[in-house]
Amino acid sequence: MRAVQLLLLLNGTINFVQAGDTEFSLKIEGLADAFIEEVSQGDYRIMIAGAPLERITGAEFSALRELEIKLQDKKNTKAQTERKLNALLIAMARIADKTTLMYLHELFESYPERRNDVAEAISWYAKENQRRDPDWRILVRSLNVVQGEQAKVVMRSLARFRRRSNKAQWVRQVILVGLEQDPEGQQIAVKLLEHWTGLNLNQSEQEQKSPLLVWQKWFAEKYPDEIAAVLPVEAPDSRWKYQEIKSELRKPAKQELNLKLGEQSFVKASCVKCHRFGKIGEKVGPDLTHVSRRLQQKEVLMATIFPSHFVAEEYPTVMILTDAGKVFTGMMGAAGPDQILLLTGEGKKQLINKNEVDEISPVKKSSMPDGLLNLLSKEEVIELFRYLAMLPEGATARYRHTTP
């Protein structure tokens, strides 16, 4: 094995040996006889001269950081690169010092597509070291994106923290994550819900087979004004399905980004009526200029195909009843001291005098209409999301990796 590693090193490559499910070795350039190795399934450690490193210092951190940046070049296949980065982050996190933890947090903030791996890595740190509030917040936020085995790791870790979340949106998110899990993952989600709420809900025989059913019912009764804790369902008339487009977007691009077609699709799908992207569009709804630095691409896709699955607190949909008995529904915005601006689901702006308002009540459904992608061809849909995944001209693009 060492002979193979030496040969690869002399060739100037990053060593990657994989023979079976758990054999993995990644050379750390800049450190003598240093490798990241998989000691058991999913468990990665930094080995120096065959012995595990106990704590990262400045010299190791610099070498690991350079390796992480080099891996971003993606010279290998996507699957190889993803596994290497995942292994590197886990190995770094489990013996992290303060500087390394700060670095992991910056990765989480700067690279949304890396949040799954960063959250899994921080879960390893929390398992074997102190449990810090900043790490708890990272893990809770990752519930929006983690899936499968990584979701299990994150939920287990959150259940170890003394801190609990009583915020409806995060309780709902645990239920949603659990609903997509296998039986083991569902039980992990239930344990976290019990930890957060302090409840142990009685279950019927049927509910024991699907343990999250009773939590869905409890959530509906506890938070009647919140969006129900149910997975989204594709509309029968939806031309493009979430999983189909998600799979297409994960494929390597066959051609360069078509900025013109992407912008045309942004206009054609009526996104421009509510959202700003760079220099085009309105600012009534969320500004999408930096959406690629705030959300994963699958989150943007989910919000487009299922707009009422999650409604941001700062952009609520309301129903306004006037003294004259007229009813208006839409997203409320500022229009001055005496008027309310309401953006309707059709993208129209409605001004309402405040002295004519009789009642304002929340609406669970988003003012963003369903089926916005139905007018687009598949090529237009793909180019729209590739377009939103870039930073438009004039947007700030400075992150730690590019900052001296």
Side-chain angles (χ1 to χ4, degrees):
M1 176 68 75
R2 294 299 182 190
V4 174
Q5 291 168 343
L6 179 60
L7 179 61
L8 290 174
L9 179 59
L10 291 175
N11 288 337
T13 62
I14 296 176
N15 180 49
F16 177 72
V17 180
Q18 184 178 353
D21 292 335
T22 60
E23 187 174 353
F24 174 99
S25 185
L26 176 63
K27 170 63 183 171
I28 306 173
E29 296 182 4
L31 293 178
D33 200 19
F35 297 84
I36 293 174
E37 297 182 356
E38 187 174 23
V39 296
S40 62
Q41 187 72 41
D43 182 359
Y44 302 94
R45 295 176 186 263
I46 299 171
M47 310 294 288
I48 307 291
L53 184 66
E54 296 298 328
R55 185 63 62 188
I56 292 176
T57 64
E60 289 94 13
F61 174 75
S62 296
L64 292 166
R65 181 180 183 275
E66 289 303 315
L67 176 57
E68 196 270 333
I69 294 172
K70 189 170 185 178
L71 288 173
Q72 290 294 333
D73 292 340
K74 297 182 180 179
K75 294 178 181 178
N76 303 290
T77 66
K78 186 171 184 178
Q80 286 179 325
T81 299
E82 288 180 348
R83 189 184 183 197
K84 290 177 184 180
L85 288 168
N86 177 252
L88 173 60
L89 294 181
I90 290 175
M92 289 175 70
R94 64 181 308 153
I95 55 172
D97 60 358
K98 184 176 179 180
T99 300
T100 306
L101 288 170
M102 289 176 60
Y103 183 71
L104 292 172
H105 278 243
E106 289 184 21
L107 285 179
F108 187 93
E109 300 297 346
S110 300
Y111 298 93
E113 299 299 330
R114 305 281 304 281
R115 286 175 182 166
N116 308 55
D117 288 342
V118 174
E120 182 181 11
I122 289 177
S123 294
W124 276 95
Y125 177 83
K127 177 182 178 182
E128 301 180 356
N129 300 276
Q130 62 177 319
R131 288 157 199 153
R132 314 178 316 150
D133 276 357
D135 298 331
W136 183 89
R137 289 191 288 270
I138 287 286
L139 295 179
V140 169
R141 289 171 57 196
S142 78
L143 290 170
N144 284 333
V145 294
V146 289
Q147 296 174 308
E149 292 302 313
Q150 288 183 321
K152 293 178 184 178
V153 171
V154 168
M155 289 191 293
R156 281 197 187 101
S157 183
L158 283 169
R160 295 189 183 101
F161 282 79
R162 293 183 63 183
R163 182 171 178 179
R164 304 176 179 184
S165 177
N166 57 4
K167 197 170 184 179
Q169 87 174 76
W170 296 120
V171 173
R172 174 179 183 265
Q173 192 60 35
V174 173
I175 296 173
L176 295 176
V177 171
L179 288 171
E180 294 188 306
Q181 286 286 320
D182 59 18
E184 179 191 25
Q186 291 179 26
Q187 290 298 333
I188 295 171
V190 168
K191 291 296 183 183
L192 179 55
L193 290 167
E194 290 175 346
H195 172 59
W196 277 2
T197 64
L199 299 175
N200 191 337
L201 303 182
N202 294 323
Q203 300 179 0
S204 65
E205 184 175 342
Q206 179 183 0
E207 288 168 339
Q208 288 175 1
K209 297 178 182 177
S210 301
L212 289 164
L213 283 176
V214 68
W215 285 98
Q216 287 179 292
K217 294 177 181 178
W218 170 85
F219 186 87
E221 295 173 359
K222 175 72 175 179
Y223 303 103
D225 294 330
E226 297 289 334
I227 301 171
V230 297
L231 295 174
V233 178
E234 303 274 7
D237 61 347
S238 178
R239 184 180 181 186
W240 306 114
K241 307 302 182 184
Y242 172 76
Q243 290 296 342
E244 176 186 3
I245 301 302
K246 180 183 172 183
S247 297
E248 288 290 332
L249 289 170
R250 285 189 58 84
K251 294 178 181 178
K254 296 181 180 179
Q255 58 188 23
E256 293 295 320
L257 171 63
N258 188 334
L259 287 174
K260 184 176 181 180
L261 182 58
E263 182 175 322
Q264 289 173 346
S265 301
F266 188 74
V267 175
K268 186 175 179 180
S270 298
C271 308
V272 72
K273 292 182 179 180
C274 306
H275 303 286
R276 186 81 171 174
F277 188 73
K279 297 179 180 179
I280 67 171
E282 298 287 343
K283 292 185 177 181
V284 180
D287 190 321
L288 301 181
T289 300
H290 293 91
V291 69
S292 63
R293 296 300 184 267
R294 293 187 290 107
L295 302 174
Q296 290 190 359
Q297 193 173 62
K298 67 181 182 182
E299 292 180 274
V300 180
L301 177 62
M302 175 74 77
T304 305
I305 295 182
F306 306 110
S308 295
H309 182 58
F310 177 80
V311 180
E313 293 179 349
E314 61 269 35
Y315 297 100
T317 299
V318 299
M319 182 184 71
I320 296 180
L321 174 65
T322 68
D323 294 332
K326 294 182 179 180
V327 177
F328 301 94
T329 302
M331 185 167 55
M332 191 163 56
D338 302 319
Q339 290 184 311
I340 295 173
L341 172 65
L342 205 67
L343 184 69
T344 68
E346 295 76 32
K348 297 179 180 179
K349 296 179 181 179
Q350 179 72 46
L351 287 173
I352 304 171
N353 294 325
K354 290 183 178 179
N355 59 10
E356 297 176 357
V357 173
D358 180 58
E359 182 182 352
I360 299 178
S361 56
V363 176
K364 295 181 183 180
K365 185 175 176 60
S366 172
S367 58
M368 181 174 166
D370 297 318
L372 287 177
L373 300 180
N374 288 347
L375 296 175
L376 306 183
S377 66
K378 179 180 284 189
E379 181 184 10
E380 288 173 326
V381 171
I382 299 304
E383 289 304 314
L384 169 61
F385 288 102
R386 291 182 66 195
Y387 173 70
L388 292 174
M390 58 159 283
L391 287 174
E393 183 180 355
T396 303
R398 291 192 68 191
Y399 291 89
R400 177 171 181 158
H401 277 47
T402 57
T403 303

